[in-house]
Amino acid sequence: TLDDLLAARLVRYDELKPCTTAFIDTRTPGRQEKENFTIIGPGVAENPDQHVHIEEPHGFNIGGARQPPGCINSQHSHETAEVFVIHSGSWAFYLGPNCEDGEIVLGPGDTISIPGNVFRGFKNAGADVGYMFAVLGGDDPGHVMWVPYVFDYAAEYWLSLLADGIAVETTRGRPITPV
Protein backbone atom coordinates (compact mmCIF):
# COMPACT_ATOMS: atom_id res chain seq x y z
CA THR A 1 0.00 0.00 0.00
CA LEU A 2 0.96 3.63 -0.28
CA ASP A 3 1.15 3.89 3.51
CA ASP A 4 3.67 1.01 3.65
CA LEU A 5 5.75 2.58 0.88
CA LEU A 6 5.86 5.91 2.66
CA ALA A 7 6.56 4.34 6.05
CA ALA A 8 9.64 2.60 4.60
CA ARG A 9 10.90 5.97 3.35
CA LEU A 10 10.19 8.06 6.45
CA VAL A 11 12.84 9.15 8.95
CA ARG A 12 11.67 11.35 11.79
CA TYR A 13 14.23 13.70 13.30
CA ASP A 14 13.60 12.45 16.84
CA GLU A 15 14.21 8.86 15.67
CA LEU A 16 17.63 9.51 14.09
CA LYS A 17 20.32 7.07 15.25
CA PRO A 18 23.67 8.81 15.64
CA CYS A 19 27.13 7.40 15.29
CA THR A 20 29.87 8.97 17.41
CA THR A 21 32.63 6.91 15.80
CA ALA A 22 31.86 7.51 12.13
CA PHE A 23 35.26 8.94 11.17
CA ILE A 24 38.95 8.57 11.89
CA ASP A 25 39.10 11.88 13.76
CA THR A 26 36.41 11.06 16.35
CA ARG A 27 38.88 10.68 19.23
CA THR A 28 40.88 13.80 18.46
CA PRO A 29 40.25 16.51 21.09
CA GLY A 30 37.58 18.96 20.01
CA ARG A 31 36.01 16.40 17.70
CA GLN A 32 34.89 13.56 19.94
CA GLU A 33 31.38 14.85 20.69
CA LYS A 34 30.11 15.01 17.12
CA GLU A 35 27.21 12.84 16.07
CA ASN A 36 26.92 11.75 12.44
CA PHE A 37 23.84 10.38 10.71
CA THR A 38 23.36 8.46 7.46
CA ILE A 39 19.77 9.13 6.53
CA ILE A 40 19.55 8.09 2.85
CA GLY A 41 22.32 5.98 1.34
CA PRO A 42 25.59 4.78 2.85
CA GLY A 43 27.30 8.17 2.84
CA VAL A 44 31.02 8.23 3.51
CA ALA A 45 31.19 6.95 7.10
CA GLU A 46 34.34 5.01 7.94
CA ASN A 47 32.62 2.86 10.56
CA PRO A 48 30.89 -0.12 8.90
CA ASP A 49 28.50 -0.32 11.85
CA GLN A 50 27.01 3.14 11.25
CA HIS A 51 23.21 2.82 10.97
CA VAL A 52 21.78 3.68 7.54
CA HIS A 53 18.16 4.75 7.91
CA ILE A 54 17.10 4.28 4.26
CA GLU A 55 19.41 1.98 2.33
CA GLU A 56 17.61 2.01 -1.03
CA PRO A 57 19.70 3.88 -3.65
CA HIS A 58 18.28 7.28 -4.59
CA GLY A 59 21.05 8.75 -6.78
CA PHE A 60 22.25 10.87 -3.83
CA ASN A 61 23.10 10.50 -0.13
CA ILE A 62 21.69 12.54 2.75
CA GLY A 63 23.41 12.65 6.09
CA GLY A 64 23.51 14.92 9.07
CA ALA A 65 25.78 16.27 11.75
CA ARG A 66 24.81 17.30 15.27
CA GLN A 67 27.51 18.93 17.36
CA PRO A 68 27.85 20.88 20.59
CA PRO A 69 29.41 24.37 20.58
CA GLY A 70 33.05 24.41 19.45
CA CYS A 71 33.01 20.84 18.09
CA ILE A 72 35.04 20.50 14.87
CA ASN A 73 34.97 18.35 11.73
CA SER A 74 38.53 18.07 10.43
CA GLN A 75 39.62 19.30 7.00
CA HIS A 76 38.63 16.81 4.30
CA SER A 77 37.28 16.57 0.78
CA HIS A 78 34.99 14.30 -1.21
CA GLU A 79 34.96 13.11 -4.79
CA THR A 80 31.46 14.56 -5.26
CA ALA A 81 29.95 17.92 -4.42
CA GLU A 82 28.56 18.29 -0.92
CA VAL A 83 25.62 20.51 -0.06
CA PHE A 84 25.03 21.62 3.53
CA VAL A 85 21.64 22.85 4.73
CA ILE A 86 21.68 24.37 8.21
CA HIS A 87 18.79 23.27 10.40
CA SER A 88 19.86 24.83 13.71
CA GLY A 89 22.84 26.60 15.17
CA SER A 90 25.65 28.68 13.73
CA TRP A 91 28.24 26.85 11.63
CA ALA A 92 31.64 28.11 10.46
CA PHE A 93 33.04 26.51 7.30
CA TYR A 94 36.76 26.66 6.51
CA LEU A 95 38.15 26.02 3.03
CA GLY A 96 41.62 24.82 2.05
CA PRO A 97 43.85 22.10 3.48
CA ASN A 98 44.95 24.42 6.29
CA CYS A 99 41.83 26.62 6.41
CA GLU A 100 43.70 29.22 4.35
CA ASP A 101 41.21 29.66 1.50
CA GLY A 102 38.37 31.33 3.36
CA GLU A 103 35.75 31.12 6.07
CA ILE A 104 32.00 31.64 6.05
CA VAL A 105 29.47 31.42 8.88
CA LEU A 106 25.98 30.07 8.16
CA GLY A 107 22.78 29.94 10.19
CA PRO A 108 19.37 28.25 10.09
CA GLY A 109 17.95 28.02 6.57
CA ASP A 110 21.30 28.78 4.88
CA THR A 111 22.62 26.42 2.20
CA ILE A 112 26.11 26.08 0.71
CA SER A 113 27.36 23.80 -2.07
CA ILE A 114 31.03 22.85 -1.93
CA PRO A 115 32.47 21.31 -5.12
CA GLY A 116 34.16 17.92 -5.13
CA ASN A 117 37.87 17.77 -4.32
CA VAL A 118 37.79 21.03 -2.33
CA PHE A 119 39.07 20.71 1.24
CA ARG A 120 36.61 21.84 3.85
CA GLY A 121 36.09 21.56 7.55
CA PHE A 122 33.50 23.05 9.85
CA LYS A 123 32.61 23.63 13.46
CA ASN A 124 29.62 24.59 15.51
CA ALA A 125 30.34 28.28 16.02
CA GLY A 126 27.22 28.93 18.10
CA ALA A 127 26.33 28.73 21.77
CA ASP A 128 23.92 25.76 21.46
CA VAL A 129 23.91 22.29 19.94
CA GLY A 130 23.51 22.63 16.18
CA TYR A 131 22.29 20.32 13.45
CA MET A 132 22.77 20.39 9.70
CA PHE A 133 21.95 18.15 6.76
CA ALA A 134 24.59 17.15 4.20
CA VAL A 135 23.85 15.91 0.69
CA LEU A 136 26.44 14.03 -1.38
CA GLY A 137 26.01 13.20 -5.06
CA GLY A 138 25.64 9.70 -6.47
CA ASP A 139 24.71 6.34 -5.01
CA ASP A 140 28.39 5.77 -4.12
CA PRO A 141 30.01 9.04 -3.02
CA GLY A 142 33.40 7.36 -2.53
CA HIS A 143 35.64 7.88 0.47
CA VAL A 144 36.68 10.86 2.57
CA MET A 145 40.06 12.33 1.65
CA TRP A 146 41.68 13.75 4.78
CA VAL A 147 44.48 16.27 5.04
CA PRO A 148 47.68 14.49 6.24
CA TYR A 149 47.71 15.84 9.80
CA VAL A 150 44.36 14.14 10.52
CA PHE A 151 46.14 10.77 10.26
CA ASP A 152 48.86 11.95 12.66
CA TYR A 153 46.27 13.04 15.24
CA ALA A 154 44.27 9.82 14.79
CA ALA A 155 47.38 7.69 15.37
CA GLU A 156 47.84 9.43 18.74
CA TYR A 157 44.40 8.08 19.69
CA TRP A 158 44.96 4.55 18.27
CA LEU A 159 42.99 4.89 15.06
CA SER A 160 44.09 4.13 11.54
CA LEU A 161 42.35 4.01 8.17
CA LEU A 162 42.46 0.95 5.94
CA ALA A 163 42.77 1.27 2.15
CA ASP A 164 39.06 0.46 1.76
CA GLY A 165 38.10 3.48 3.90
CA ILE A 166 37.33 1.62 7.13
CA ALA A 167 38.67 3.00 10.42
CA VAL A 168 40.24 0.49 12.83
CA GLU A 169 41.63 0.58 16.34
CA THR A 170 45.35 -0.04 16.04
CA THR A 171 45.73 -1.09 19.68
CA ARG A 172 43.43 -4.07 19.37
CA GLY A 173 43.40 -4.60 15.61
CA ARG A 174 39.61 -4.65 15.35
CA PRO A 175 37.05 -2.30 13.82
CA ILE A 176 35.77 0.54 15.95
CA THR A 177 32.26 0.09 17.30
CA PRO A 178 29.58 2.71 17.96
CA VAL A 179 29.42 4.12 21.45
Side-chain angles (χ1 to χ4, degrees):
T1 70
L2 183 57
D3 287 343
D4 293 333
L5 175 68
L6 293 178
R9 293 170 170 252
L10 173 65
V11 179
R12 296 205 182 272
Y13 179 79
D14 62 351
E15 295 173 356
L16 286 172
K17 295 179 183 175
C19 182
T20 58
T21 56
F23 298 105
I24 194 170
D25 70 338
T26 56
R27 291 187 184 162
T28 303
R31 293 151 179 85
Q32 66 272 50
E33 293 183 88
K34 62 185 175 178
E35 296 176 296
N36 291 89
F37 304 88
T38 50
I39 301 169
I40 296 175
V44 292
E46 296 164 344
N47 183 338
D49 295 326
Q50 170 131 5
H51 178 75
V52 178
H53 290 81
I54 299 174
E55 294 184 16
E56 180 182 341
H58 280 64
F60 57 85
N61 286 253
I62 296 180
R66 184 167 53 207
Q67 298 176 194
C71 191
I72 300 167
N73 273 46
S74 299
Q75 295 303 104
H76 66 283
S77 69
H78 299 287
E79 297 169 22
T80 67
E82 185 171 27
V83 175
F84 295 95
V85 180
I86 308 304
H87 178 262
S88 61
S90 177
W91 295 83
F93 287 80
Y94 306 95
L95 299 180
N98 297 298
C99 307
E100 72 278 11
D101 292 338
E103 172 187 346
I104 188 165
V105 177
L106 304 176
D110 291 341
T111 301
I112 188 169
S113 175
I114 299 178
N117 302 310
V118 170
F119 281 99
R120 84 292 306 262
F122 50 86
K123 76 173 182 179
N124 179 343
D128 298 312
V129 172
Y131 183 87
M132 67 176 159
F133 293 96
V135 181
L136 287 164
D139 287 326
D140 179 4
H143 298 290
V144 177
M145 291 163 280
W146 298 101
V147 294
Y149 63 79
V150 171
F151 296 106
D152 296 337
Y153 288 147
E156 290 180 34
Y157 297 93
W158 312 290
L159 290 176
S160 186
L161 194 62
L162 301 176
D164 62 359
I166 301 297
V168 294
E169 289 181 321
T170 55
T171 54
R172 297 185 188 115
R174 60 181 172 82
I176 59 174
T177 55
V179 177

